[in-house]
Amino acid sequence: MAASAKKKSSLTPAQSKATLRRVLRHIRPYAPFVACSLLVAAGSVAAQLYIPILCGDAIDLMLGPGAVDLPGVLGIVRSIVIVAALAAFAQWCLSVCNNRITFSVSRDLRNASIHKLQRLPLSYLDSHPSGDIVSRMIADVDTFADGLLMGFTQLFTGVLTIFGTLLFMLRENVPITLVVVCITPLSFVVASFIAKRSYGYFQRQSSVRGEQTALVNEMIEGQKVVQAFGYEDESLNAFDEVNGRLQNVSLKAIFFSSLTNPATRFVNNLVYAGVGLVGALYAVAGGLTIGQLSIFLSYANQYTKPFNEISGVVTELQNALACAARVFELLDAEDQIPEAPDAPALQPDGHVVLEDVAFRYLPDRPLIENFNLDVKPGQRIAIVGPTGCGKTTLINLLMRFYDVNSGRISVSGQDIRDVTRASLRGSYGMVLQDTWLRAGTVRENIAYGKPDATEEEIIAAAKAAHAHSFIRRLPKGYDTVITENGGNISQGQKQLLCIARVMLCLPPMLILDEATSSIDTRTEIRIQAAFARMMQGRTSFIVAHRLSTIREADVILVMKDGHIIEQGSHDQLLAQNGFYAKLYNSQFEGVDPAGDPS
């Protein structure tokens, strides 16, 4: 598993360059801030490099006891204070510009990611752990921002310091400067060695961290089930395995990145020793003053210090690029099939037709084949069948969460692929077995599909869904805040709120997928009566396992292996004594229609 993760997460040099180019494209809109950052960085570096010259001049004015040009020294000290103040102001401006660039780019990436999430097909979300997607949008963008900020803050000043120091040193003494230049390539060799080895580990670190986030997210969401089935030890073992891989790859990444400081310090000491030795020989021979020697020693420190910083920055940038590549991978995922620019809005009359529809989730596993159905306006169509026969898949196709592989689905004579998705989905009111509520008040959740609903409309919808009584008993009634996915109310209460949400909108077509599965029998009878009133004149698709809830349907479709094998009213199907009759009777006899005990 670790090997496969390694292979999957490592990027080639070409991919690394492509990632860097994309990062630069995201920075391009903030070019004025980049230019400002470069200017103030240059000003800061120039000020810092000018201070050693002033100090050297001051030293040369101190010739010995009783031979100190005090007025001249005091004048230089005033100049040093002014230059230092200018350098500090430039550093502050640099920080403001760099923070603006970094966090603007981070904001843009997160905005692009959340907009991308709205365009992704459900097949992508179904095949990728939600925790990994969250890790890309949050943790990876944060790590990228940290690396980018360090790059702008230290890389600009570091590079400018190196070149600026060389220019000042050449101005003072060429031979000593050549000593520095000759030792410098060793720093680049060290930095290159570390960068090549650390990048792959940082990329794998980001990938494994995404796995870990996905696992933690899964365990948190399913903790009740984990504890109910005594799966604590297995979940801990799974976490330990992922955590162990994260530790292993992180230690390797940190090991190589930690080589940066001692290696570059070794090179720095060589440079400092070389400058000191050659400078001392020149001073003894009278080629340099003591003040000039102090300038060179100061420059030797300033020249080598950026190599420490740049080496550290290179390591952080490698990590940042690795995280950016994961974010770009999300952004590059294939969008759902786009709508035509001139796609009209659907004007539904409730007439739904499926012609020769075929669909499969996996290319080698057919699910629905040659499916034909003609639903007249206002009909109530019940869909039944054993688990996995394609009932929920049919709902996904009607809502165009997935597109058919062949054939067509039309509403009011219009192919649903030719109309806008928003108008199609707005034409259906959907209550699913899997409830979903947002973190917010009860009122906000009921009005989710109709934000401008009045208080009276919200209460009327809650009463129709038989949710009003339990809402009144909540601490703040309709203003009670529901936690993420309704964690502080029961499953049945969540389903009642979802039903109220549909009752408020009352669209022309309805989809009820096990809509009363979590509700007690007494409330279910009331809800069924409310549904019956709501379905009057509306085309309705009802998916149910409890067949007693669909006796009043106009047409019952019996599905098996993606095909309609029987259809008719409840009484007609019982009279046929076919698969539906066996399925219906099995609910009272406790026998599977295939003949196995249930």
Side-chain angles (χ1 to χ4, degrees):
M1 185 173 181
S4 63
K6 177 178 179 180
K7 182 179 179 182
K8 180 180 178 181
S9 59
S10 298
L11 291 182
T12 64
Q15 290 172 319
S16 301
K17 291 178 182 177
T19 301
L20 180 58
R21 284 195 296 269
R22 290 189 65 173
V23 169
L24 294 176
R25 284 203 298 272
H26 279 275
I27 295 173
R28 188 178 301 160
Y30 307 100
F33 289 99
V34 175
C36 182
S37 180
L38 282 169
L39 287 174
V40 294
S44 173
V45 169
Q48 292 175 27
L49 293 180
Y50 186 52
I51 289 175
I53 293 177
L54 293 174
C55 290
D57 292 342
I59 290 172
D60 285 337
L61 293 177
M62 303 175 190
L63 301 178
V68 177
D69 183 359
L70 188 58
V73 171
L74 291 177
I76 291 175
V77 168
R78 283 195 297 270
S79 299
I80 290 174
V81 171
I82 294 172
V83 172
L86 290 174
F89 178 73
Q91 283 287 340
W92 177 80
C93 292
L94 180 66
S95 177
V96 170
C97 291
N98 292 342
N99 277 283
R100 178 63 179 266
I101 297 167
T102 297
F103 294 112
S104 294
V105 172
S106 301
R107 177 204 60 200
D108 293 346
L109 281 178
R110 286 208 174 99
N111 283 341
S113 298
I114 198 67
H115 281 90
K116 181 68 176 185
L117 204 60
Q118 310 306 315
R119 301 194 306 272
L120 286 173
L122 280 184
S123 56
Y124 181 92
L125 302 177
D126 289 342
S127 59
H128 289 75
S130 58
D132 182 63
I133 296 175
V134 171
S135 179
R136 292 173 193 250
M137 296 176 62
I138 305 299
D140 287 338
V141 173
D142 276 343
T143 305
F144 167 73
D146 291 340
L148 193 62
L149 181 60
M150 182 177 287
F152 277 112
T153 303
Q154 297 182 7
L155 189 62
F156 282 179
T157 55
V159 172
L160 289 172
T161 298
I162 291 171
F163 285 105
T165 306
L166 284 175
L167 290 174
F168 274 92
M169 291 174 75
L170 284 170
R171 173 177 169 269
E172 295 293 330
N173 190 292
V174 175
I176 298 179
T177 307
L178 291 177
V179 172
V180 175
V181 173
C182 289
I183 302 176
T184 298
L186 189 57
S187 291
F188 293 108
V189 172
V190 171
S192 177
F193 172 82
I194 294 171
K196 287 179 180 178
R197 281 152 183 78
S198 62
Y199 181 76
Y201 289 118
F202 278 122
Q203 177 69 12
R204 291 196 287 277
Q205 182 187 47
S206 298
S207 178
V208 178
R209 188 168 55 222
E211 287 184 52
Q212 187 184 58
T213 306
L215 179 62
V216 170
N217 184 67
E218 180 182 284
M219 291 298 102
I220 291 174
E221 289 184 350
Q223 193 57 221
K224 290 181 182 178
V225 178
V226 169
Q227 294 183 13
F229 284 88
Y231 201 77
E232 292 93 339
D233 291 340
E234 287 81 356
S235 63
L236 286 174
N237 290 336
F239 181 82
D240 287 342
E241 189 273 331
V242 175
N243 208 31
R245 284 194 286 120
L246 181 59
Q247 178 195 30
N248 182 50
V249 73
S250 297
L251 284 175
K252 289 179 180 177
I254 292 170
F255 170 75
F256 280 104
S257 63
S258 66
L259 291 176
T260 302
N261 200 36
T264 52
R265 281 186 182 276
F266 172 73
V267 177
N268 295 350
N269 290 335
L270 289 180
V271 172
Y272 191 83
V275 170
L277 180 60
V278 176
L281 292 175
Y282 265 90
V284 169
L288 284 177
T289 65
I290 299 300
Q292 288 175 321
L293 179 59
S294 72
I295 294 173
F296 267 99
L297 290 175
S298 178
Y299 280 164
N301 267 333
Q302 293 204 44
Y303 175 79
T304 55
K305 183 182 176 183
F307 284 102
N308 283 344
E309 295 176 348
I310 290 173
S311 298
V313 167
V314 167
T315 300
E316 286 299 319
L317 285 176
Q318 296 288 342
N319 192 12
L321 284 177
C323 292
R326 282 172 44 81
V327 178
F328 292 145
E329 185 180 305
L330 171 65
L331 296 177
D332 290 340
E334 188 175 351
D335 287 349
Q336 62 186 357
I337 298 173
E339 299 172 351
D342 57 347
L346 179 65
Q347 303 297 328
D349 61 5
H351 188 199
V352 181
V353 179
L354 290 84
E355 302 174 66
D356 297 322
V357 168
F359 177 78
R360 55 185 70 188
Y361 289 105
L362 299 174
D364 57 341
R365 294 186 184 179
L367 179 57
I368 293 179
E369 294 182 297
N370 302 319
F371 193 99
N372 292 278
L373 179 64
D374 190 342
V375 182
K376 300 297 188 295
Q379 277 191 319
R380 288 176 287 180
I381 307 298
I383 308 168
V384 301
T387 300
C389 70
K391 300 187 296 294
T392 300
T393 298
L394 180 58
I395 299 304
N396 287 336
L397 295 177
L398 289 173
M399 294 287 289
R400 208 188 167 195
F401 292 142
Y402 287 83
D403 279 311
V404 298
N405 298 133
S406 63
R408 70 192 294 263
I409 300 175
S410 61
V411 177
S412 305
Q414 293 178 283
D415 192 316
I416 62 173
R417 291 170 294 191
D418 297 333
V419 300
T420 62
R421 287 186 175 89
S423 64
L424 171 67
R425 292 167 185 170
S427 302
Y428 286 102
M430 187 166 66
V431 182
L432 301 178
Q433 181 178 7
D434 297 328
T435 58
W436 179 85
L437 298 173
R438 57 168 290 192
T441 65
V442 170
R443 178 183 290 99
E444 289 169 343
N445 273 282
I446 295 177
Y448 190 76
K450 190 179 179 182
D452 57 347
T454 64
E455 184 76 9
E456 292 74 18
E457 289 175 325
I458 292 172
I459 293 174
K463 288 180 177 178
H466 297 277
H468 181 66
S469 58
F470 95 79
I471 294 173
R472 285 190 306 167
R473 293 193 298 270
L474 294 175
K476 295 183 180 180
Y478 285 85
D479 292 318
T480 301
V481 175
I482 298 175
T483 58
E484 182 183 358
N485 206 19
N488 55 341
I489 59 176
S490 72
Q491 181 65 31
Q493 290 171 333
K494 287 195 287 185
Q495 201 157 35
L496 288 176
L497 291 181
C498 291
I499 293 171
R501 192 160 59 194
V502 173
M503 293 282 193
L504 178 63
C505 297
L506 284 182
M509 297 183 290
L510 297 172
I511 293 177
L512 309 176
D513 188 352
E514 288 294 319
T516 58
S517 60
S518 301
I519 297 173
D520 63 274
T521 305
R522 182 180 177 187
T523 304
E524 181 184 11
I525 293 172
R526 295 176 178 173
I527 291 294
Q528 291 294 348
F531 277 160
R533 291 193 302 271
M534 187 170 65
M535 288 186 287
Q536 289 294 329
R538 290 182 172 85
T539 303
S540 306
F541 296 88
I542 309 160
V543 176
H545 286 107
R546 285 184 287 183
L547 304 187
S548 58
T549 63
I550 58 170
R551 292 178 180 176
E552 304 303 319
D554 296 316
V555 178
I556 298 174
L557 304 178
V558 185
M559 293 186 65
K560 186 179 180 183
D561 301 327
H563 295 84
I564 298 176
I565 59 172
E566 296 176 4
Q567 69 180 66
S569 67
H570 173 73
D571 293 335
Q572 289 172 338
L573 292 175
L574 285 181
Q576 292 177 14
N577 199 27
F579 187 82
Y580 176 82
K582 293 179 182 179
L583 196 66
Y584 182 79
N585 293 327
S586 69
Q587 297 195 359
F588 305 101
E589 298 171 1
V591 178
D592 184 272
D596 300 326
S598 62

